[in-house]
Amino acid sequence: MARYGMALDYKNCINCKACEVACKEENGVLLGADKHRIWVGVKEIEGEFPLLSIASNTFMPSQCQHCEHAPCQEVCPTHATHYDENGVVRVDPDKCILCSYCMNACPYDARYVDDRTMTVDKCNFCSDTRLARGETTTACQATCPTKVRIFGDLDDPNSEISQVLRDREHFSLKPHLGTKPKLFYLI
Amino acid sequence: MAVEISRRRFLQGSVAMTVIGGMSMAPSNLFSNEKEHGELSITTKTGTGEAKFVPTLCEMCVNKCAAIARVEDGVVTKLDPNPMFPKSRNMLCPRGNAGIQALYDPDRLKYPMIRIGEKGEGKFKRVSWDEAYDAILNGTDKFPGLAKILDEEKDNRSTIFFCAGEGMAEHTFKTFYTGFGSSNWLNHASLCLRTVVSGYGVTLGAYPQADLENAEYIIMAGANRAEAIVTPDTMDFFKRTKGRGAKLICVDPRFTNTAAKADKWLPIKPGTDLAFVLALTYVVVMEELYDKAYVEKYFNGFKQYKNHLYAEEYTPEWAEKITGIPAEDIYEIARDFMKHAPKAVYYPGRRSTFAKNDFQLRRAMAIFQALGGGIDTKGGLVFGKKLPLKGHSAVAPMYAQAEGVDVARAKGKPGYSDCAIVSGGGSWIGFRNRILEGKSVYPVRGMFLYKHNPMMNMPNVEKTAKFLKGLDLIVTIDTMPSDTVMYADVVLPECTYLERTDPVKTFGGPEPSIAVRNKVIDPMYETKPVIDIMRGLTEKISKPLFEITKKYDEDVQDDIADRGEAEVYKEFDLTIPFEHSQEELNEHAVSGYPGAYEALCKHGVFYPKMEEYFKQVSANEHVYYPDDEKAYSVREGKPKTNSGKVECNLANIAKKGVDPMPTWRKEYEYHVPEGKFRMLTGRHAQFTQSGTANNVMLHDLIHENYIWINKRVAKKMGIKFGDMIEVSSEAGKTRLKAYPTEKIAPDQVFFIHGFGEESEALTWAYRSGGNDNAVIVDEIEPVYGGAVMHSTNVEIRKV
């Protein structure tokens, strides 16, 4: 029993997409540009050459936020989407009927359709691969060149993530929606 | 790895080594065995059962980062970073992760093949390895073999040339070249970092590394470490930018991902960096901001350089007009840099040659860096330490009939002068064009090509195609059916890096180590590692070629009369360097370090006291050496030049017509005629040139390259995102889609290199995007003969 979350030192991100590839290779995510569990968000730069706003060009790594109050879980008619014993939002492929309510409900656009398993899929913190083998990092964290990610148990006060969240300021995405994401962006 | 060469004897005049470079592969329906692409879903989810783990080194680019391959039921299901390697610091980039797709690429070269169609047509027949070797020696009805060519050329070994792309097994191939006895070797250097390595080499005595883990102030000009990943620089650096210890000044005509991490971005006019550095230097010298003790102790020619800067009036105001960078910024950067020195870095970078003045630019950068004393010191540029390896024996016979440029000159024939200094990697463009223009002093008829793709990697594709068509015999060793492989007569399929053990390598720096690429799985199809290919080939050709030498080489005839044929042949036996397996050679190479070979097999990495020093600090952080054991300073700041000084004024190169001190010339000024655009090219984090062009996973991330056009210009021209654009220059044309953006100047366009392949055997790469080298004009840098990549003006139109 744990309560897994992830802190992102997003200022380190160089938008290299190593995390996306590692995730696909680890979890057998389908090929295709629209099939991904994680991604890096980039905004169009502000200004006109040569006067450009450097600050407007940030890279925001993102994925399923593993909300404590997950809208996708609330709308799922078959309980395919559920919280596992570690607070990870998971999808049961046997129960998913591809109604796509969850895709519409997710405020973070975290879900996509896996055409092979006919499931609405998304990040599961490598629960059925790395964590199932007893490993303690996700594929995206392990591979990241600039070490953006810290994965761990939010309930363990001695975990690295708990320590970093105590020591550093951070924010969540769309906090006003009350979803209580478990991804934390470090300032 | 060092080679101890056993020389036969010293002939009257040595065979000069000239230089060349490249990388590539070839196709037909022999290639892809599953053409039903589009439905491909070849990622494999990792399992939870039994798995084997093999430490290896990545080959998706030149960095050689350490990886651990996960193998389940004989299938490589995942590549994870190996945390024990100081250079790559527990990471794999997107390309490293996508290495599995290089291994399982359905388009891979699978069998030896020989050409049955017209040259360049890409029609081949599958043959056995022995048949392929036989075709190399004896030819077919379509092409002559080595025996015929060398007999006709009276054993002039230089009629066959050799070229290789960068890689750990390049050395193995080069051993074959050495034994073969040609004077023509080309590698990627003149298309890559020749000028930077040489510029720093002659100025500081070495091409140093930058300590980006500790530098406080970094000028990154013409280097893009967020997209052109170099380990450990990229990882060390971007954890510290954005107000977190390292101030970054990014100087680049384009707004790159590196610019996005900068404190200040200065869009400089392409090709004018030299003026920028000269003005920085001017400020530092005029205001006496430099490290006087360092200059006093370690500079040669400082006064002359100072007088030169004053006499030429390289002021920031002067530079502003040339570079477009405001004078006040230049003053501020010069002052700030010296405030932080020696923990300040003018980043040397790698990259290809962008402008004709690149050699002088690198010299000016090195001198500017040294003025702050940031040489061989923590937070500056560092030489570091290297753990030496033991060499192995090679065969280097002297062939009296082999011609080289020096030999030609000695015989009173005109030599050639593509560039002032002929270095160990040659000038590829110089070599190609000389042959095309009929200026070679002897016929060049055949080539051996390893992991090199000249059709994609050098400017003016049309000329390269003509050049390849003109050669009698082309033998390619590669993993993929590249554009160049299409021109081959004999195709020898190499296995990928995950299927072979390569020569062990030592990695210098503040935290030196030795690392090895261990074979993860056995070679698939009928592919082989290059050392096995060399063994098979030399067994076939060594004796018959010696017969030709016997026929024409009087020295050898005399020698045989004296000592008997068996004794003499020993020195011409090309099979000798390939007698041992790679594993045996590696064990010998590290035999000076107790326990090293075992550690390399087990961990992939070794350095003395690794067991004691290596520690995991957190999930993301590791310590490789204690701080006081890191080799930041190994010479107390003393440059590595012969004089032990920073060389400001190189009188000896002046004799070759090269400016002895960095000098700005009128011809370097940036100029784009009305209606044209300056063409820029560059790198991207998800692609390594044309080498990864067909990688399905990376192709997912970037389907094709787009041409950057300034948004306002695009609007005026009626160009929208995704419109097809034709780019043309005097060299040729290419087509790709438009990306209007404000990240580029109105008179420039940019697209990344490595796209627009014409080989139909590449399912994903074929005609995906545009090829920069189809439009870049083949101009060469005058000192080392590097290909100049950023001096072409192009026209664009919507089609």
Side-chain angles (χ1 to χ4, degrees):
Chain A
M1 289 283 285
R3 192 166 63 94
Y4 286 134
M6 187 176 275
L8 296 107
D9 216 340
Y10 75 100
K11 286 181 187 170
N12 289 6
C13 180
I14 54 173
N15 191 18
C16 77
K17 300 184 170 71
C19 50
E20 285 188 41
V21 181
C23 172
K24 282 199 172 191
E25 295 287 5
E26 186 80 61
N27 297 298
V29 177
L30 282 180
L31 290 172
D34 56 338
K35 315 287 185 198
H36 47 242
R37 292 183 176 186
I38 55 179
W39 65 91
V40 179
V42 186
K43 272 205 307 193
E44 178 76 27
I45 196 161
E46 292 167 15
E48 286 189 348
F49 186 98
L51 301 171
L52 298 175
S53 162
I54 294 179
S56 73
N57 198 240
T58 54
F59 306 129
M60 292 295 277
S62 195
Q63 63 198 63
C64 169
Q65 303 282 315
H66 294 285
C67 308
E68 295 202 2
H69 300 148
C72 57
Q73 187 269 342
E74 285 169 24
V75 300
C76 180
T78 63
H79 304 295
T81 297
H82 61 283
Y83 302 102
D84 75 6
E85 67 277 17
N86 297 315
V88 179
V89 180
R90 304 278 294 271
V91 182
D92 183 342
D94 292 338
K95 290 185 183 164
C96 179
I97 55 169
L98 275 187
C99 70
S100 75
Y101 289 0
C102 54
M103 294 176 79
N104 293 320
C106 175
Y108 306 101
D109 200 18
R111 288 171 169 258
Y112 69 96
V113 175
D114 184 322
D115 303 313
R116 186 173 38 186
T117 58
M118 298 306 279
T119 308
V120 177
D121 205 355
K122 62 167 201 66
C123 163
N124 64 8
F125 280 152
C126 296
S127 286
D128 57 345
T129 51
R130 298 173 71 95
L131 301 191
R133 299 195 293 262
E135 290 173 44
T136 54
T137 57
T138 59
C140 53
Q141 175 182 3
T143 209
C144 180
T146 53
K147 298 304 168 205
V148 166
R149 294 152 191 269
I150 301 166
F151 170 76
D153 183 2
L154 298 164
D155 280 346
D156 175 1
N158 297 318
S159 69
E160 209 183 328
I161 186 169
S162 296
Q163 290 178 31
V164 82
L165 292 178
R166 275 199 302 275
D167 292 349
R168 291 179 59 181
E169 275 192 71
H170 50 84
F171 62 89
S172 304
L173 300 183
K174 302 184 182 174
H176 56 285
L177 299 179
T179 53
K180 289 198 144 187
K182 290 204 288 292
L183 255 66
F184 305 92
Y185 291 80
L186 300 169
I187 296 171
Chain B
M1 192 182 291
V3 187
E4 290 148 15
I5 286 173
S6 61
R7 289 262 165 210
R8 174 162 160 256
R9 64 195 148 162
F10 293 100
L11 275 180
Q12 56 281 16
S14 62
V15 178
M17 285 202 185
T18 58
V19 242
I20 318 175
M23 100 160 242
S24 77
M25 287 301 170
S28 81
N29 51 2
L30 274 175
F31 301 103
S32 184
N33 48 10
E34 36 188 303
K35 277 289 180 189
E36 61 280 10
H37 44 278
E39 291 301 315
L40 207 81
S41 57
I42 50 178
T43 48
T44 313
K45 186 174 175 174
T46 58
T48 50
E50 208 174 304
K52 188 177 91 167
F53 299 93
V54 184
T56 183
L57 290 179
C58 187
E59 194 188 53
M60 295 296 284
C61 80
V62 301
N63 278 295
K64 303 167 188 71
C65 301
I68 297 173
R70 178 184 181 87
V71 187
E72 298 173 81
D73 284 335
V75 175
V76 182
T77 55
K78 183 75 173 51
L79 296 168
D80 277 311
N82 180 351
M84 299 186 80
F85 190 32
K87 182 177 190 289
S88 63
R89 307 251 205 276
N90 189 30
M91 78 96 199
L92 280 184
C93 80
R95 293 160 297 160
N97 276 284
I100 295 175
Q101 309 304 341
L103 173 64
Y104 296 121
D105 191 323
D107 293 338
R108 270 181 67 175
L109 294 173
K110 304 175 184 72
Y111 317 104
M113 300 189 294
I114 56 176
R115 175 167 70 84
I116 51 170
E118 292 311 302
K119 205 155 215 153
E121 201 183 0
K123 277 194 185 155
F124 299 95
K125 166 173 101 167
R126 175 179 171 180
V127 294
S128 69
W129 278 97
D130 190 61
E131 286 169 313
Y133 296 144
D134 191 69
I136 293 169
L137 180 63
N138 296 315
T140 68
D141 57 343
K142 287 280 182 193
F143 55 90
L146 290 174
K148 182 163 189 273
I149 294 171
L150 289 177
D151 192 35
E152 284 171 4
E153 300 303 332
K154 302 187 169 46
D155 201 41
N156 176 7
R157 299 291 176 126
S158 300
T159 57
I160 309 293
F161 73 100
F162 294 74
C163 51
E166 197 280 343
M168 293 180 82
E170 178 185 350
H171 169 80
T172 309
F173 177 70
K174 199 170 183 183
T175 305
F176 169 56
Y177 151 79
T178 306
F180 192 92
S182 171
S183 62
N184 292 313
W185 169 261
L186 291 169
N187 63 20
H188 75 297
S190 65
L191 308 169
C192 189
L193 39 54
R194 166 58 63 210
T195 42
V196 60
V197 171
S198 303
Y200 279 84
V202 297
T203 310
L204 300 178
Y207 170 52
Q209 296 180 23
D211 176 17
L212 298 187
E213 207 175 5
N214 296 295
E216 295 170 358
Y217 191 93
I218 294 108
I219 302 173
M220 206 169 262
N224 183 7
R225 279 300 156 267
E227 294 177 85
I229 293 173
V230 166
T231 60
D233 298 12
T234 297
M235 293 96 73
D236 288 346
F237 191 40
F238 293 106
K239 293 174 197 159
R240 302 179 58 241
T241 50
K242 293 277 179 192
R244 298 176 298 173
K247 192 158 184 180
L248 170 61
I249 309 298
C250 176
V251 183
D252 200 306
R254 293 187 296 132
F255 190 91
T256 61
N257 285 1
T258 302
K261 299 290 170 185
D263 295 279
K264 195 179 262 246
W265 167 62
L266 301 170
I268 193 167
K269 288 181 188 167
T272 67
D273 291 48
L274 175 59
F276 173 67
V277 185
L278 287 170
L280 289 176
T281 313
Y282 180 91
V283 174
V284 165
V285 171
M286 188 187 64
E287 298 185 1
E288 297 192 15
L289 304 174
Y290 54 88
D291 183 334
K292 295 199 180 72
Y294 189 86
V295 170
E296 178 70 25
K297 199 168 174 189
Y298 290 130
F299 265 60
N300 255 351
F302 176 69
K303 260 198 190 136
Q304 287 145 299
Y305 194 44
K306 180 179 171 178
N307 293 340
H308 171 64
L309 296 167
Y310 285 9
E312 299 289 336
E313 296 182 75
Y314 291 141
T315 64
E317 291 75 13
W318 162 82
E320 176 176 331
K321 286 184 211 127
I322 293 168
T323 62
I325 296 177
E328 59 187 290
D329 283 330
I330 298 175
Y331 281 109
E332 184 187 303
I333 291 166
R335 290 165 189 160
D336 284 352
F337 187 95
M338 289 301 158
K339 248 180 248 168
H340 288 279
K343 289 194 170 185
V345 164
Y346 197 115
Y347 188 70
R350 286 176 59 95
R351 74 159 166 83
S352 44
T353 301
F354 285 169
K356 272 177 86 170
N357 57 35
D358 208 67
F359 171 72
Q360 298 295 354
L361 165 65
R362 304 319 190 142
R363 295 245 307 125
M365 287 161 61
I367 296 168
F368 177 73
Q369 173 74 29
L371 285 171
I375 302 289
D376 188 41
T377 183
K378 190 173 178 175
L381 298 186
V382 294
F383 298 128
K385 263 191 204 161
K386 208 168 196 176
L387 303 168
L389 300 177
K390 284 189 188 169
H392 61 88
S393 58
V395 176
M398 300 301 290
Y399 299 90
Q401 295 296 102
E403 298 220 38
V405 60
D406 289 355
V407 177
R409 281 189 188 129
K411 289 179 180 173
K413 294 183 188 175
Y416 49 81
S417 47
D418 306 319
C419 48
I421 300 165
V422 178
S423 65
S427 167
W428 231 131
I429 290 184
F431 182 84
R432 179 196 70 186
N433 291 0
R434 189 190 320 136
I435 289 162
L436 276 179
E437 291 158 15
K439 290 181 184 159
S440 179
V441 293
Y442 51 84
V444 171
R445 298 180 57 182
M447 84 193 283
F448 279 88
L449 192 81
Y450 172 54
K451 193 179 177 281
H452 201 55
N453 191 357
M455 282 298 290
M456 289 297 297
N457 71 14
M458 80 176 106
N460 205 326
V461 176
E462 219 175 283
K463 280 192 187 173
T464 307
K466 200 173 158 204
F467 166 77
L468 294 175
K469 275 187 184 160
L471 294 169
D472 289 336
L473 174 67
I474 299 177
V475 180
T476 61
I477 305 167
D478 214 323
T479 59
M480 292 297 292
S482 72
D483 284 21
T484 304
V485 168
M486 293 302 109
Y487 288 84
D489 296 295
V490 181
V491 180
L492 305 176
E494 191 198 15
C495 57
T496 69
Y497 70 100
L498 293 169
E499 303 159 279
R500 61 175 202 253
T501 297
D502 270 344
V504 65
K505 189 171 165 63
T506 180
F507 294 82
E511 300 177 277
S513 66
I514 297 168
V516 72
R517 175 176 293 144
N518 290 309
K519 181 174 81 170
V520 177
I521 60 167
D522 285 332
M524 293 170 68
Y525 314 110
E526 289 181 16
T527 65
K528 290 181 184 188
V530 74
I531 189 168
D532 290 6
I533 297 174
M534 292 293 108
R535 186 178 301 123
L537 177 63
T538 53
E539 278 168 8
K540 181 68 136 192
I541 67 173
S542 183
K543 261 266 155 72
L545 295 190
F546 182 65
E547 291 302 320
I548 297 168
T549 301
K550 264 167 62 188
K551 188 169 160 190
Y552 296 104
D553 190 323
E554 289 176 12
D555 294 330
V556 166
Q557 290 160 7
D558 293 348
D559 210 9
I560 289 173
D562 287 350
R563 298 194 288 145
E565 184 168 335
E567 276 304 301
V568 176
Y569 178 65
K570 275 186 197 163
E571 288 156 18
F572 285 83
D573 185 352
L574 302 181
T575 64
I576 289 171
F578 311 107
E579 275 173 350
H580 296 282
S581 72
Q582 193 58 62
E583 287 79 4
E584 289 166 338
L585 293 170
N586 287 351
E587 188 165 3
H588 169 72
V590 299
S591 57
Y593 305 96
Y597 188 66
E598 294 70 26
L600 288 166
C601 291
K602 191 174 169 194
H603 304 298
V605 183
F606 170 81
Y607 53 92
K609 296 196 183 175
M610 180 167 79
E611 305 253 312
E612 181 189 334
Y613 290 167
F614 176 73
K615 285 188 181 74
Q616 177 161 17
V617 181
S618 70
N620 287 337
E621 288 170 274
H622 299 79
V623 169
Y624 301 96
Y625 279 86
D627 252 352
D628 55 357
E629 293 292 334
K630 290 182 188 170
Y632 292 122
S633 186
V634 293
R635 302 168 55 87
E636 294 170 341
K638 189 177 176 183
K640 283 189 162 180
T641 48
N642 289 339
S643 61
K645 311 250 175 168
V646 178
E647 298 289 359
C648 295
N649 185 24
L650 291 171
N652 55 340
I653 63 169
K655 287 179 216 146
K656 294 174 185 275
V658 181
D659 289 329
M661 289 186 281
T663 303
W664 183 261
R665 297 189 168 274
K666 184 92 181 147
E667 71 201 68
Y668 299 156
E669 279 178 22
Y670 175 74
H671 175 66
V672 180
E674 186 67 31
K676 291 198 175 188
F677 299 84
R678 179 60 58 93
M679 162 82 201
L680 307 179
T681 183
R683 289 282 306 278
H684 203 282
Q686 289 94 44
F687 259 67
T688 305
Q689 277 76 285
S690 60
T692 56
N694 204 55
N695 188 295
V696 68
M697 178 65 80
L698 299 175
H699 213 250
D700 244 23
L701 298 175
I702 310 185
H703 211 256
E704 58 200 301
N705 55 353
Y706 282 75
I707 183 167
W708 294 26
I709 304 167
N710 181 275
K711 216 179 220 175
R712 285 160 286 159
V713 172
K715 198 174 175 192
K716 225 181 271 173
M717 296 178 73
I719 294 168
K720 293 186 299 294
F721 177 82
D723 284 350
M724 189 57 81
I725 304 296
E726 183 180 84
V727 190
S728 59
S729 73
E730 57 189 87
K733 290 174 184 174
T734 193
R735 285 184 179 195
L736 71 171
K737 291 176 186 165
Y739 167 49
T741 176
E742 284 297 339
K743 295 192 285 192
I744 192 161
D747 62 350
Q748 294 158 28
V749 292
F750 162 79
F751 55 95
I752 43 175
H753 169 68
F755 287 81
E757 271 77 359
E758 288 290 335
S759 165
E760 291 178 37
L762 298 167
T763 302
W764 293 279
Y766 174 63
R767 292 198 176 162
S768 164
N771 180 356
D772 54 351
N773 280 326
V775 289
I776 297 175
V777 174
D778 46 329
E779 187 183 5
I780 66 174
E781 178 274 330
V783 187
Y784 283 91
V788 178
M789 306 305 278
H790 282 181
S791 64
T792 302
N793 293 321
V794 298
E795 287 174 38
I796 60 171
R797 69 182 182 98
K798 191 169 145 181
V799 288

